PDB file of all heavy atoms in Angstrom:
ATOM      1  N   GLY A  22       0.830  -1.180   0.024  1.00  0.00           N
ATOM      2  CA  GLY A  22      -0.005  -0.011   0.007  1.00  0.00           C
ATOM      3  C   GLY A  22       0.880   1.225   0.012  1.00  0.00           C
ATOM      4  O   GLY A  22       1.591   1.493   0.981  1.00  0.00           O
ATOM      5  N   ALA A  23       0.856   1.959  -1.090  1.00  0.00           N
ATOM      6  CA  ALA A  23       1.785   3.103  -1.238  1.00  0.00           C
ATOM      7  C   ALA A  23       1.398   4.231  -0.275  1.00  0.00           C
ATOM      8  O   ALA A  23       0.243   4.432   0.036  1.00  0.00           O
ATOM      9  CB  ALA A  23       1.763   3.606  -2.684  1.00  0.00           C
ATOM     10  N   PRO A  24       2.408   4.996   0.142  1.00  0.00           N
ATOM     11  CA  PRO A  24       2.111   6.228   0.902  1.00  0.00           C
ATOM     12  C   PRO A  24       1.300   7.181   0.034  1.00  0.00           C
ATOM     13  O   PRO A  24       1.197   6.962  -1.202  1.00  0.00           O
ATOM     14  CB  PRO A  24       3.498   6.798   1.200  1.00  0.00           C
ATOM     15  CG  PRO A  24       4.442   5.657   1.116  1.00  0.00           C
ATOM     16  CD  PRO A  24       3.830   4.752   0.031  1.00  0.00           C
ATOM     17  N   GLU A  25       0.781   8.230   0.636  1.00  0.00           N
ATOM     18  CA  GLU A  25      -0.018   9.179  -0.134  1.00  0.00           C
ATOM     19  C   GLU A  25       0.757   9.805  -1.268  1.00  0.00           C
ATOM     20  O   GLU A  25       0.220  10.039  -2.373  1.00  0.00           O
ATOM     21  CB  GLU A  25      -0.504  10.282   0.792  1.00  0.00           C
ATOM     22  CG  GLU A  25      -1.389  11.339   0.110  1.00  0.00           C
ATOM     23  CD  GLU A  25      -1.906  12.366   1.093  1.00  0.00           C
ATOM     24  OE1 GLU A  25      -1.738  12.174   2.300  1.00  0.00           O
ATOM     25  OE2 GLU A  25      -2.470  13.366   0.619  1.00  0.00           O
ATOM     26  N   THR A  26       2.059  10.046  -1.074  1.00  0.00           N
ATOM     27  CA  THR A  26       2.887  10.628  -2.117  1.00  0.00           C
ATOM     28  C   THR A  26       4.102   9.757  -2.355  1.00  0.00           C
ATOM     29  O   THR A  26       4.830   9.419  -1.451  1.00  0.00           O
ATOM     30  CB  THR A  26       3.368  12.042  -1.721  1.00  0.00           C
ATOM     31  OG1 THR A  26       2.214  12.858  -1.419  1.00  0.00           O
ATOM     32  CG2 THR A  26       4.164  12.678  -2.848  1.00  0.00           C
ATOM     33  N   VAL A  27       4.274   9.384  -3.620  1.00  0.00           N
ATOM     34  CA  VAL A  27       5.426   8.559  -4.047  1.00  0.00           C
ATOM     35  C   VAL A  27       6.130   9.297  -5.165  1.00  0.00           C
ATOM     36  O   VAL A  27       5.517   9.780  -6.132  1.00  0.00           O
ATOM     37  CB  VAL A  27       4.957   7.201  -4.561  1.00  0.00           C
ATOM     38  CG1 VAL A  27       6.128   6.397  -5.177  1.00  0.00           C
ATOM     39  CG2 VAL A  27       4.338   6.372  -3.431  1.00  0.00           C
ATOM     40  N   VAL A  28       7.461   9.443  -5.052  1.00  0.00           N
ATOM     41  CA  VAL A  28       8.278  10.088  -6.052  1.00  0.00           C
ATOM     42  C   VAL A  28       9.242   9.072  -6.614  1.00  0.00           C
ATOM     43  O   VAL A  28      10.061   8.517  -5.841  1.00  0.00           O
ATOM     44  CB  VAL A  28       9.036  11.297  -5.473  1.00  0.00           C
ATOM     45  CG1 VAL A  28       9.963  11.924  -6.521  1.00  0.00           C
ATOM     46  CG2 VAL A  28       8.114  12.331  -4.889  1.00  0.00           C
ATOM     47  N   PHE A  29       9.224   8.869  -7.905  1.00  0.00           N
ATOM     48  CA  PHE A  29      10.253   8.027  -8.563  1.00  0.00           C
ATOM     49  C   PHE A  29      11.402   8.946  -8.949  1.00  0.00           C
ATOM     50  O   PHE A  29      11.349   9.658  -9.945  1.00  0.00           O
ATOM     51  CB  PHE A  29       9.675   7.321  -9.783  1.00  0.00           C
ATOM     52  CG  PHE A  29       9.018   6.016  -9.494  1.00  0.00           C
ATOM     53  CD1 PHE A  29       7.764   5.984  -8.932  1.00  0.00           C
ATOM     54  CD2 PHE A  29       9.687   4.819  -9.710  1.00  0.00           C
ATOM     55  CE1 PHE A  29       7.104   4.774  -8.625  1.00  0.00           C
ATOM     56  CE2 PHE A  29       9.045   3.594  -9.413  1.00  0.00           C
ATOM     57  CZ  PHE A  29       7.784   3.598  -8.846  1.00  0.00           C
ATOM     58  N   HIS A  30      12.444   8.933  -8.124  1.00  0.00           N
ATOM     59  CA  HIS A  30      13.641   9.709  -8.394  1.00  0.00           C
ATOM     60  C   HIS A  30      14.350   9.183  -9.628  1.00  0.00           C
ATOM     61  O   HIS A  30      14.432   7.997  -9.869  1.00  0.00           O
ATOM     62  CB  HIS A  30      14.559   9.675  -7.166  1.00  0.00           C
ATOM     63  CG  HIS A  30      15.997   9.378  -7.381  1.00  0.00           C
ATOM     64  ND1 HIS A  30      16.825  10.237  -8.026  1.00  0.00           N
ATOM     65  CD2 HIS A  30      16.731   8.288  -7.018  1.00  0.00           C
ATOM     66  CE1 HIS A  30      18.020   9.699  -8.049  1.00  0.00           C
ATOM     67  NE2 HIS A  30      17.993   8.526  -7.497  1.00  0.00           N
ATOM     68  N   CYS A  31      14.835  10.105 -10.464  1.00  0.00           N
ATOM     69  CA  CYS A  31      15.537   9.773 -11.685  1.00  0.00           C
ATOM     70  C   CYS A  31      14.779   8.643 -12.454  1.00  0.00           C
ATOM     71  O   CYS A  31      15.350   7.560 -12.690  1.00  0.00           O
ATOM     72  CB  CYS A  31      17.017   9.318 -11.390  1.00  0.00           C
ATOM     73  SG  CYS A  31      18.030   9.193 -12.849  1.00  0.00           S
ATOM     74  N   PHE A  32      13.575   8.934 -12.787  1.00  0.00           N
ATOM     75  CA  PHE A  32      12.729   7.915 -13.435  1.00  0.00           C
ATOM     76  C   PHE A  32      13.461   7.344 -14.603  1.00  0.00           C
ATOM     77  O   PHE A  32      14.035   8.062 -15.418  1.00  0.00           O
ATOM     78  CB  PHE A  32      11.412   8.558 -13.867  1.00  0.00           C
ATOM     79  CG  PHE A  32      10.480   7.548 -14.504  1.00  0.00           C
ATOM     80  CD1 PHE A  32       9.744   6.684 -13.702  1.00  0.00           C
ATOM     81  CD2 PHE A  32      10.345   7.461 -15.888  1.00  0.00           C
ATOM     82  CE1 PHE A  32       8.909   5.787 -14.278  1.00  0.00           C
ATOM     83  CE2 PHE A  32       9.513   6.550 -16.462  1.00  0.00           C
ATOM     84  CZ  PHE A  32       8.777   5.689 -15.650  1.00  0.00           C
ATOM     85  N   SER A  33      13.420   5.976 -14.738  1.00  0.00           N
ATOM     86  CA  SER A  33      14.183   5.279 -15.749  1.00  0.00           C
ATOM     87  C   SER A  33      13.368   4.270 -16.527  1.00  0.00           C
ATOM     88  O   SER A  33      13.908   3.511 -17.291  1.00  0.00           O
ATOM     89  CB  SER A  33      15.392   4.579 -15.089  1.00  0.00           C
ATOM     90  OG  SER A  33      14.960   3.624 -14.126  1.00  0.00           O
ATOM     91  N   GLY A  34      12.063   4.317 -16.312  1.00  0.00           N
ATOM     92  CA  GLY A  34      11.198   3.342 -17.019  1.00  0.00           C
ATOM     93  C   GLY A  34      10.829   3.805 -18.433  1.00  0.00           C
ATOM     94  O   GLY A  34      11.234   4.867 -18.898  1.00  0.00           O
ATOM     95  N   ASP A  35      10.030   2.970 -19.088  1.00  0.00           N
ATOM     96  CA  ASP A  35       9.573   3.306 -20.448  1.00  0.00           C
ATOM     97  C   ASP A  35       8.180   3.985 -20.359  1.00  0.00           C
ATOM     98  O   ASP A  35       7.647   4.219 -19.273  1.00  0.00           O
ATOM     99  CB  ASP A  35       9.588   2.052 -21.318  1.00  0.00           C
ATOM    100  CG  ASP A  35       8.686   0.959 -20.826  1.00  0.00           C
ATOM    101  OD1 ASP A  35       7.892   1.189 -19.858  1.00  0.00           O
ATOM    102  OD2 ASP A  35       8.758  -0.167 -21.328  1.00  0.00           O
ATOM    103  N   ALA A  36       7.567   4.198 -21.528  1.00  0.00           N
ATOM    104  CA  ALA A  36       6.314   4.863 -21.597  1.00  0.00           C
ATOM    105  C   ALA A  36       5.198   4.052 -20.885  1.00  0.00           C
ATOM    106  O   ALA A  36       4.338   4.628 -20.213  1.00  0.00           O
ATOM    107  CB  ALA A  36       5.887   5.168 -23.041  1.00  0.00           C
ATOM    108  N   ALA A  37       5.248   2.743 -21.033  1.00  0.00           N
ATOM    109  CA  ALA A  37       4.226   1.910 -20.377  1.00  0.00           C
ATOM    110  C   ALA A  37       4.304   2.034 -18.863  1.00  0.00           C
ATOM    111  O   ALA A  37       3.288   2.159 -18.181  1.00  0.00           O
ATOM    112  CB  ALA A  37       4.374   0.450 -20.800  1.00  0.00           C
ATOM    113  N   MET A  38       5.517   2.006 -18.330  1.00  0.00           N
ATOM    114  CA  MET A  38       5.688   2.166 -16.877  1.00  0.00           C
ATOM    115  C   MET A  38       5.265   3.576 -16.432  1.00  0.00           C
ATOM    116  O   MET A  38       4.631   3.736 -15.386  1.00  0.00           O
ATOM    117  CB  MET A  38       7.114   1.895 -16.446  1.00  0.00           C
ATOM    118  CG  MET A  38       7.324   2.010 -14.928  1.00  0.00           C
ATOM    119  SD  MET A  38       8.987   1.660 -14.426  1.00  0.00           S
ATOM    120  CE  MET A  38       8.851   1.959 -12.680  1.00  0.00           C
ATOM    121  N   ALA A  39       5.582   4.564 -17.235  1.00  0.00           N
ATOM    122  CA  ALA A  39       5.189   5.901 -16.884  1.00  0.00           C
ATOM    123  C   ALA A  39       3.669   6.049 -16.830  1.00  0.00           C
ATOM    124  O   ALA A  39       3.144   6.724 -15.941  1.00  0.00           O
ATOM    125  CB  ALA A  39       5.756   6.918 -17.900  1.00  0.00           C
ATOM    126  N   ARG A  40       2.964   5.366 -17.739  1.00  0.00           N
ATOM    127  CA  ARG A  40       1.498   5.404 -17.663  1.00  0.00           C
ATOM    128  C   ARG A  40       0.986   4.732 -16.414  1.00  0.00           C
ATOM    129  O   ARG A  40       0.037   5.237 -15.766  1.00  0.00           O
ATOM    130  CB  ARG A  40       0.913   4.697 -18.937  1.00  0.00           C
ATOM    131  CG  ARG A  40       1.099   5.505 -20.195  1.00  0.00           C
ATOM    132  CD  ARG A  40       0.334   4.899 -21.370  1.00  0.00           C
ATOM    133  NE  ARG A  40       0.805   5.430 -22.610  1.00  0.00           N
ATOM    134  CZ  ARG A  40       1.727   4.888 -23.405  1.00  0.00           C
ATOM    135  NH1 ARG A  40       2.266   3.712 -23.042  1.00  0.00           N
ATOM    136  NH2 ARG A  40       2.119   5.443 -24.498  1.00  0.00           N
ATOM    137  N   GLU A  41       1.570   3.598 -16.049  1.00  0.00           N
ATOM    138  CA  GLU A  41       1.139   2.873 -14.845  1.00  0.00           C
ATOM    139  C   GLU A  41       1.387   3.765 -13.622  1.00  0.00           C
ATOM    140  O   GLU A  41       0.508   3.849 -12.757  1.00  0.00           O
ATOM    141  CB  GLU A  41       1.893   1.558 -14.699  1.00  0.00           C
ATOM    142  CG  GLU A  41       1.446   0.742 -13.515  1.00  0.00           C
ATOM    143  CD  GLU A  41       2.020  -0.687 -13.499  1.00  0.00           C
ATOM    144  OE1 GLU A  41       2.642  -1.098 -14.504  1.00  0.00           O
ATOM    145  OE2 GLU A  41       1.835  -1.379 -12.464  1.00  0.00           O
ATOM    146  N   CYS A  42       2.534   4.384 -13.558  1.00  0.00           N
ATOM    147  CA  CYS A  42       2.816   5.269 -12.442  1.00  0.00           C
ATOM    148  C   CYS A  42       1.871   6.461 -12.397  1.00  0.00           C
ATOM    149  O   CYS A  42       1.333   6.823 -11.337  1.00  0.00           O
ATOM    150  CB  CYS A  42       4.271   5.748 -12.515  1.00  0.00           C
ATOM    151  SG  CYS A  42       5.488   4.475 -12.174  1.00  0.00           S
ATOM    152  N   ALA A  43       1.638   7.081 -13.531  1.00  0.00           N
ATOM    153  CA  ALA A  43       0.744   8.248 -13.583  1.00  0.00           C
ATOM    154  C   ALA A  43      -0.667   7.869 -13.176  1.00  0.00           C
ATOM    155  O   ALA A  43      -1.330   8.611 -12.438  1.00  0.00           O
ATOM    156  CB  ALA A  43       0.787   8.851 -14.972  1.00  0.00           C
ATOM    157  N   ASP A  44      -1.109   6.688 -13.618  1.00  0.00           N
ATOM    158  CA  ASP A  44      -2.440   6.227 -13.253  1.00  0.00           C
ATOM    159  C   ASP A  44      -2.571   6.040 -11.728  1.00  0.00           C
ATOM    160  O   ASP A  44      -3.641   6.208 -11.157  1.00  0.00           O
ATOM    161  CB  ASP A  44      -2.779   4.910 -13.967  1.00  0.00           C
ATOM    162  CG  ASP A  44      -3.042   5.104 -15.442  1.00  0.00           C
ATOM    163  OD1 ASP A  44      -3.282   6.288 -15.872  1.00  0.00           O
ATOM    164  OD2 ASP A  44      -3.042   4.093 -16.186  1.00  0.00           O
ATOM    165  N   ALA A  45      -1.442   5.665 -11.085  1.00  0.00           N
ATOM    166  CA  ALA A  45      -1.428   5.473  -9.645  1.00  0.00           C
ATOM    167  C   ALA A  45      -1.216   6.810  -8.871  1.00  0.00           C
ATOM    168  O   ALA A  45      -1.287   6.801  -7.657  1.00  0.00           O
ATOM    169  CB  ALA A  45      -0.324   4.484  -9.242  1.00  0.00           C
ATOM    170  N   GLY A  46      -0.964   7.850  -9.624  1.00  0.00           N
ATOM    171  CA  GLY A  46      -0.713   9.160  -8.995  1.00  0.00           C
ATOM    172  C   GLY A  46       0.698   9.377  -8.512  1.00  0.00           C
ATOM    173  O   GLY A  46       0.963  10.315  -7.733  1.00  0.00           O
ATOM    174  N   TYR A  47       1.637   8.515  -8.956  1.00  0.00           N
ATOM    175  CA  TYR A  47       3.047   8.662  -8.556  1.00  0.00           C
ATOM    176  C   TYR A  47       3.671   9.817  -9.316  1.00  0.00           C
ATOM    177  O   TYR A  47       3.376  10.068 -10.484  1.00  0.00           O
ATOM    178  CB  TYR A  47       3.822   7.407  -8.822  1.00  0.00           C
ATOM    179  CG  TYR A  47       3.285   6.155  -8.124  1.00  0.00           C
ATOM    180  CD1 TYR A  47       3.575   4.886  -8.627  1.00  0.00           C
ATOM    181  CD2 TYR A  47       2.530   6.214  -6.970  1.00  0.00           C
ATOM    182  CE1 TYR A  47       3.110   3.760  -8.017  1.00  0.00           C
ATOM    183  CE2 TYR A  47       2.046   5.085  -6.351  1.00  0.00           C
ATOM    184  CZ  TYR A  47       2.346   3.851  -6.877  1.00  0.00           C
ATOM    185  OH  TYR A  47       1.853   2.704  -6.256  1.00  0.00           O
ATOM    186  N   VAL A  48       4.580  10.525  -8.653  1.00  0.00           N
ATOM    187  CA  VAL A  48       5.271  11.627  -9.227  1.00  0.00           C
ATOM    188  C   VAL A  48       6.573  11.121  -9.873  1.00  0.00           C
ATOM    189  O   VAL A  48       7.325  10.336  -9.268  1.00  0.00           O
ATOM    190  CB  VAL A  48       5.597  12.705  -8.180  1.00  0.00           C
ATOM    191  CG1 VAL A  48       6.388  13.879  -8.746  1.00  0.00           C
ATOM    192  CG2 VAL A  48       4.303  13.195  -7.501  1.00  0.00           C
ATOM    193  N   LEU A  49       6.863  11.591 -11.103  1.00  0.00           N
ATOM    194  CA  LEU A  49       8.059  11.187 -11.802  1.00  0.00           C
ATOM    195  C   LEU A  49       9.040  12.330 -11.901  1.00  0.00           C
ATOM    196  O   LEU A  49       8.716  13.418 -12.372  1.00  0.00           O
ATOM    197  CB  LEU A  49       7.692  10.702 -13.211  1.00  0.00           C
ATOM    198  CG  LEU A  49       6.602   9.623 -13.308  1.00  0.00           C
ATOM    199  CD1 LEU A  49       6.445   9.120 -14.739  1.00  0.00           C
ATOM    200  CD2 LEU A  49       6.884   8.456 -12.383  1.00  0.00           C
ATOM    201  N   SER A  50      10.234  12.094 -11.392  1.00  0.00           N
ATOM    202  CA  SER A  50      11.280  13.109 -11.380  1.00  0.00           C
ATOM    203  C   SER A  50      12.317  12.746 -12.408  1.00  0.00           C
ATOM    204  O   SER A  50      12.868  11.648 -12.449  1.00  0.00           O
ATOM    205  CB  SER A  50      11.935  13.182  -9.994  1.00  0.00           C
ATOM    206  OG  SER A  50      12.864  14.216  -9.929  1.00  0.00           O
TER     207      SER A  50
END
């Protein structure tokens, strides 16, 4: 169960992972 705010530091995933993270409300740095 993720905390209210999650930041992926130095995001290194692809577009599919970025969509999954964005859908979950994670912040991409």
Side-chain angles (χ1 to χ4, degrees):
E25 181 177 351
T26 304
V27 172
V28 178
F29 273 78
H30 131 68
C31 191
F32 182 78
S33 58
D35 60 11
M38 182 180 177
R40 288 189 196 95
E41 183 172 352
C42 289
D44 288 345
Y47 302 157
V48 178
L49 307 186
S50 185

